[in-house]
Amino acid sequence: MDLVKILTDSLRAAIGVPAAAYALAATGLNVHFGYTGLLNFGQVAFMLVGAYGTAVTVNEGGPLWLGLLVGIGLAVALGLLLGIPTLRLRADYLAIVTIATAEILRYVTRSRALQSLTGGVFGIQKFANPFFDLNPIPPGRYGFGTFNFSHRQLWVMAVGWLTVGLILLLLTVLLRSPWGRVLKAIREDEDAARSLGKNVFAYKIQSLILGGVIGALAGMLLAIDTQAVNPDTFISILTFFAYTVLILGGPGRILAPVVGAVIFWFLLQFTDGVLRGALEAGWLGSAIEGNEVAAIRFALVGLGLMLLMILRPQGILGSREELLTDER
Amino acid sequence: MNAESSPAFQGVAPLPGVPKPDPILVAAGVERSFGGLRAVAVDRLEIQRGSITGLIGPNGAGKTTFFNLLTGFDRADAGTWHFDGRPLQGKRAHQVARVGMVRTFQLTKALGRLSLLDNLLLAAPGQRGERLAGAVLGGWRAQEAAHREQAEALLERFGLAPLSRHFAGTLSGGQRKLLEMARALMARPRLLMLDEPMAGVNPALRQSLLAHIQEIRTEGATVLFIEHDMDVVMGTSDWVVVMAEGRVIAEGPPAAVGADPEVIDAYLGRDHGKAAGA
Ligand SMILES: Nc1ncnc2c1ncn2[C@@H]1O[C@H](COP(=O)(O)OP(=O)(O)OP(=O)(O)O)[C@@H](O)[C@H]1O
Ligand SMILES: [Mg+2]
């Protein structure tokens, strides 16, 4: 088993484009859940409209920037669509409606009726060339030893993490403002916020849209990185991975999604590498087979998460004091 | 303390629904039923501006429900109510608060993972930084600094200043009552509606809360408070309203209400006639 290679592979995954995309998706959930107390179980729907908005627009001949705007516009529309009927009701209604909507949207994009636009089950490929044309990094591989990236990967990573950075900066400003204080008050007790003259519904809608647009950016990033959108990428498990990332980091902390995403992807790749290495070395006998590794690593990550919740329920960045105040 | 000689109430007959010389709140025909239970059926009630009005009544009399209806936290089946001449029925809770009618809750609602200071700052009305655009563009810090000064002064007044940076979730039950009252004051109410502000507050603190309530009135606001402690009600109120089974069954100056045989029957029990009449 080549431990150095496993480690470098894990490090590459920890800072790769999918990690940046998960950090964005989880950042959106942090706005919803961590700061406003909204249970959005359909973050993947926002990712889907972001990705498809971009891919379809470019595929139909539009410029890339327009595609990005369309993706954002669709996320705003989706936020309104989900929020207006549910956010006046009890918290669980949003959860039910969002998870259902995510599934419906996936089936709609997959449907034969829309095949001419969305490509149906085949999706859309090779729409992000204008993005890669902008790459200022000369062709080649960069890094040392097995820890290296292509100029193409580096370009998407740079843009991805820069987006993460800018979003976190914006959120820091917002959440330290009186606006952010109202969101947190709604998270704690929305009737108290109402009794002090805050239009709780309007703030919830704003929160849902803001976090949803950040989710859409995550979808765009994944789509551009792979130069492909496919309906079956956007399944509900993605929402729950984003929650895993958030809870790992500690909801209600600005940096939690970044810390969570880096650790999540590192662990995923690391367990994968170790399992495959052990398999090749014959240490596992016939206990597991190669095609079971992917499933087993998720089971192991789940186990790790359970241990974290037992040992550090507030997440890696969360504060114990804050957690305890909930109990009264 | 306040005898029945409160000048504003001179010549007001102690009858349920009696008109007041200068009412800030007028409610008429307010009704609310839960299934077959008629929780509130108030024919008429006026609250005199600048007074402290105590609202009493047995458990389940409909006092909290009446508060909920007036402040937009529940929907009335029927009725109208006017605040300062402005109709408020059908308005949502935050709109009611914004016109200056601010209530507290029987079961306190401290914002646990916000500091005491943030709990108070939240309540300040008209904050520029509470709009999304304002928050991004900035320009709210001067206003925030002024609010912070007010908030710190209020925390000082309620003896909570040493805890101002702590999470509200760490407070004791009585401290939460204090915090909620301070927070309501931060919203600069014209009518402050307190639902059992003294419940769970120790006797020493009770005195200072009473003093605060009197002070609020002195500063020009009107206070309507629900309370079960008869000594507090009789000692603090200029006027007392009695509810039972959803209706206003009596109102009048504390001494008169305390001596009213119907009230004694419905609520006070035999022992209280003497204490209040003294
Ligand atoms: N949401 C509700 N659903 C059903 N019944 C309710 C509801 N809210 C209040 N009630 C009923 O309405 C009646 C009045 O309740 P309310 O809370 O207003 O009483 P209260 O006068 O505040 O009593 P207490 O002094 O014990 O606080 C009670 O019989 C109560 O059971
Ligand atoms: Mg009550």
Side-chain angles (χ1 to χ4, degrees):
Chain A
M1 183 155 46
D2 183 352
L3 211 63
V4 175
K5 180 165 186 320
I6 292 174
L7 272 176
T8 51
D9 279 353
S10 308
L11 275 179
R12 276 158 39 93
I15 61 171
V17 174
Y22 276 46
L24 278 175
T27 298
L29 287 181
N30 205 13
V31 174
H32 295 152
F33 177 68
Y35 287 99
T36 325
L38 299 178
L39 273 180
N40 166 19
F41 282 150
Q43 185 70 336
V44 71
F46 288 101
M47 298 170 74
L48 183 148
V49 297
Y52 270 87
T54 307
V56 170
T57 307
V58 176
N59 204 36
E60 296 293 318
L64 184 65
W65 62 264
L66 183 64
L68 300 179
L69 282 185
V70 167
I72 290 172
L74 286 174
V76 173
L78 182 62
L80 289 172
L81 188 77
L82 291 170
I84 287 173
T86 58
L87 288 178
R88 282 186 211 276
L89 306 173
R90 242 176 29 215
D92 23 358
Y93 286 91
L94 179 69
I96 297 165
V97 168
T98 45
I99 196 165
T101 304
E103 276 302 282
I104 292 169
L105 269 182
R106 185 166 68 85
Y107 278 108
V108 168
T109 45
R110 197 168 200 288
S111 71
R112 196 174 290 253
L114 286 181
Q115 189 154 352
S116 60
L117 205 61
T118 63
V121 289
F122 307 108
I124 303 170
Q125 286 80 30
K126 293 270 165 286
F127 54 86
N129 289 332
F131 176 83
F132 291 100
D133 292 343
L134 292 174
N135 188 355
I137 306 168
R141 289 197 80 82
Y142 299 85
F144 33 87
T146 48
F147 184 76
N148 65 60
F149 298 95
S150 73
H151 65 290
R152 191 188 160 287
Q153 285 172 314
L154 271 183
W155 172 229
V156 194
M157 278 164 64
V159 171
W161 286 109
L162 191 73
T163 308
V164 173
L166 288 175
I167 293 291
L168 293 189
L169 213 62
L170 174 71
L171 286 183
T172 308
V173 170
L174 279 177
L175 292 166
R176 284 192 185 156
S177 75
W179 183 85
R181 187 163 59 216
V182 178
L183 286 200
K184 290 176 218 166
I186 292 169
R187 173 190 73 193
E188 297 302 305
D189 192 317
E190 55 180 82
D191 278 344
R194 277 195 191 97
S195 77
L196 299 170
K198 313 305 168 197
N199 185 352
V200 168
F201 177 69
Y203 282 96
K204 283 183 172 178
I205 290 272
Q206 289 172 22
S207 167
L208 188 64
I209 289 177
L210 178 64
V213 166
I214 299 172
L217 296 180
M220 294 172 189
L221 189 59
L222 281 179
I224 287 175
D225 183 43
T226 52
Q227 280 258 46
V229 288
N230 188 291
D232 297 323
T233 315
F234 297 99
I235 49 179
S236 281
I237 192 91
L238 230 61
T239 299
F240 296 104
F241 284 157
Y243 265 107
T244 305
V245 161
L246 177 62
I247 289 165
L248 204 60
R253 303 273 144 175
I254 288 276
L255 281 178
V258 173
V259 172
V262 166
I263 294 177
F264 180 82
W265 277 97
F266 182 91
L267 286 181
L268 215 54
Q269 187 58 45
F270 188 75
T271 44
D272 189 86
V274 169
L275 280 173
R276 286 189 198 288
L279 206 64
E280 275 162 30
W283 297 346
L284 298 175
S286 56
I288 60 171
E289 287 172 27
N291 57 10
E292 291 167 345
V293 166
I296 288 171
R297 65 181 183 158
F298 278 120
L300 287 177
V301 169
L303 190 68
L305 202 67
M306 278 203 266
L307 287 176
L308 178 84
M309 286 297 101
I310 291 163
L311 300 174
R312 214 182 147 72
Q314 68 273 41
I316 288 165
L317 297 179
S319 92
R320 184 106 204 153
E321 189 201 3
E322 207 165 298
L323 193 77
L324 290 177
T325 59
D326 278 359
E327 307 298 321
R328 287 174 162 259
Chain B
M1 297 222 193
N2 309 278
E4 61 258 58
S5 57
S6 235
F9 290 97
Q10 214 73 67
V12 179
L15 297 168
V18 66
K20 307 292 183 313
D22 180 18
I24 190 168
L25 181 71
V26 179
V30 180
E31 292 184 20
R32 176 71 163 111
S33 300
F34 296 108
L37 177 83
R38 218 142 176 246
V40 170
V42 171
D43 289 336
R44 190 169 184 89
L45 180 64
E46 301 193 356
I47 304 296
Q48 170 69 16
R49 186 190 313 276
S51 70
I52 297 178
T53 303
L55 177 57
I56 63 173
N59 292 123
K63 306 180 295 294
T64 298
T65 307
F66 188 47
F67 263 32
N68 288 345
L69 296 175
L70 294 179
T71 53
F73 279 88
D74 192 4
R75 270 182 198 283
D77 302 328
T80 59
W81 53 99
H82 289 75
F83 178 72
D84 239 354
R86 188 197 308 235
L88 279 191
Q89 60 274 8
K91 290 266 186 289
R92 293 193 283 145
H94 73 271
Q95 296 169 316
V96 173
R98 280 185 194 172
V99 300
M101 209 165 123
V102 178
R103 59 91 55 96
T104 65
F105 295 91
Q106 181 167 1
L107 300 171
T108 45
K109 297 185 182 292
L111 303 164
R113 285 179 291 168
L114 257 57
S115 70
L116 271 64
L117 189 62
D118 275 339
N119 264 267
L120 261 68
L121 285 173
L122 175 77
Q127 298 188 48
R128 261 173 241 131
E130 280 188 353
R131 314 183 130 266
L132 196 51
V136 179
L137 299 176
W140 47 268
R141 282 173 203 281
Q143 194 190 29
E144 177 92 348
H147 288 153
R148 183 173 294 250
E149 247 170 62
Q150 292 168 21
E152 275 162 358
L154 267 172
L155 286 172
E156 190 72 51
R157 189 164 139 195
F158 281 80
L160 295 169
L163 302 171
S164 72
R165 309 272 151 179
H166 290 232
F167 283 133
T170 62
L171 294 184
S172 74
Q175 288 172 324
R176 283 170 194 228
K177 283 277 176 197
L178 291 173
L179 175 68
E180 207 177 73
M181 197 157 140
R183 194 172 67 191
L185 283 181
M186 187 76 194
R188 274 182 247 136
R190 285 188 291 150
L191 172 61
L192 179 61
M193 301 170 63
L194 304 166
D195 197 342
E196 302 197 19
M198 307 291 172
V201 176
N202 84 12
L205 226 52
R206 220 167 247 242
Q207 282 312 313
S208 76
L209 261 188
L210 286 180
H212 291 318
I213 292 178
Q214 311 254 13
E215 219 173 304
I216 294 162
R217 194 245 327 250
T218 315
E219 287 165 8
T222 309
V223 181
L224 172 63
F225 77 113
I226 300 174
E227 184 52 58
H228 282 296
D229 185 317
M230 271 312 128
D231 296 334
V232 168
V233 175
M234 296 302 168
T236 314
S237 321
D238 304 313
W239 194 259
V240 176
V241 176
V242 188
M243 278 181 78
E245 294 173 0
R247 312 180 160 279
V248 174
I249 58 160
E251 60 175 297
V257 166
D260 184 333
E262 198 182 340
V263 175
I264 296 170
D265 267 4
Y267 181 51
L268 298 178
R270 265 163 250 109
D271 304 341
H272 263 286
K274 289 175 271 155

PDB file of all heavy atoms in Angstrom, chain B residues 64 106 195-196, ligand 2:
ATOM      1  N   THR B  64     -54.512  35.838  28.212  1.00  0.00           N
ATOM      2  CA  THR B  64     -53.435  35.700  27.233  1.00  0.00           C
ATOM      3  C   THR B  64     -53.997  35.651  25.816  1.00  0.00           C
ATOM      4  O   THR B  64     -53.461  36.273  24.893  1.00  0.00           O
ATOM      5  CB  THR B  64     -52.617  34.433  27.534  1.00  0.00           C
ATOM      6  OG1 THR B  64     -52.031  34.573  28.821  1.00  0.00           O
ATOM      7  CG2 THR B  64     -51.527  34.226  26.501  1.00  0.00           C
ATOM      8  N   GLN B 106     -46.142  35.339  28.302  1.00  0.00           N
ATOM      9  CA  GLN B 106     -46.254  34.666  29.599  1.00  0.00           C
ATOM     10  C   GLN B 106     -45.103  33.673  29.763  1.00  0.00           C
ATOM     11  O   GLN B 106     -44.458  33.640  30.805  1.00  0.00           O
ATOM     12  CB  GLN B 106     -47.609  33.943  29.664  1.00  0.00           C
ATOM     13  CG  GLN B 106     -47.856  33.227  30.970  1.00  0.00           C
ATOM     14  CD  GLN B 106     -49.313  32.799  31.109  1.00  0.00           C
ATOM     15  OE1 GLN B 106     -50.133  33.018  30.220  1.00  0.00           O
ATOM     16  NE2 GLN B 106     -49.646  32.213  32.236  1.00  0.00           N
ATOM     17  N   ASP B 195     -47.427  40.261  29.919  1.00  0.00           N
ATOM     18  CA  ASP B 195     -48.173  39.075  30.345  1.00  0.00           C
ATOM     19  C   ASP B 195     -47.450  38.433  31.529  1.00  0.00           C
ATOM     20  O   ASP B 195     -46.430  37.769  31.359  1.00  0.00           O
ATOM     21  CB  ASP B 195     -48.312  38.086  29.175  1.00  0.00           C
ATOM     22  CG  ASP B 195     -49.398  37.044  29.426  1.00  0.00           C
ATOM     23  OD1 ASP B 195     -49.793  36.875  30.599  1.00  0.00           O
ATOM     24  OD2 ASP B 195     -49.844  36.404  28.453  1.00  0.00           O
ATOM     25  N   GLU B 196     -47.976  38.663  32.702  1.00  0.00           N
ATOM     26  CA  GLU B 196     -47.406  38.146  33.954  1.00  0.00           C
ATOM     27  C   GLU B 196     -45.916  38.452  34.100  1.00  0.00           C
ATOM     28  O   GLU B 196     -45.091  37.543  34.186  1.00  0.00           O
ATOM     29  CB  GLU B 196     -47.668  36.641  34.078  1.00  0.00           C
ATOM     30  CG  GLU B 196     -49.165  36.347  34.022  1.00  0.00           C
ATOM     31  CD  GLU B 196     -49.527  34.963  34.540  1.00  0.00           C
ATOM     32  OE1 GLU B 196     -48.711  34.362  35.260  1.00  0.00           O
ATOM     33  OE2 GLU B 196     -50.643  34.513  34.240  1.00  0.00           O
TER      34      GLU B 196
HETATM   35 MG    MG C   2     -52.164  33.599  30.483  1.00  0.00          MG
END
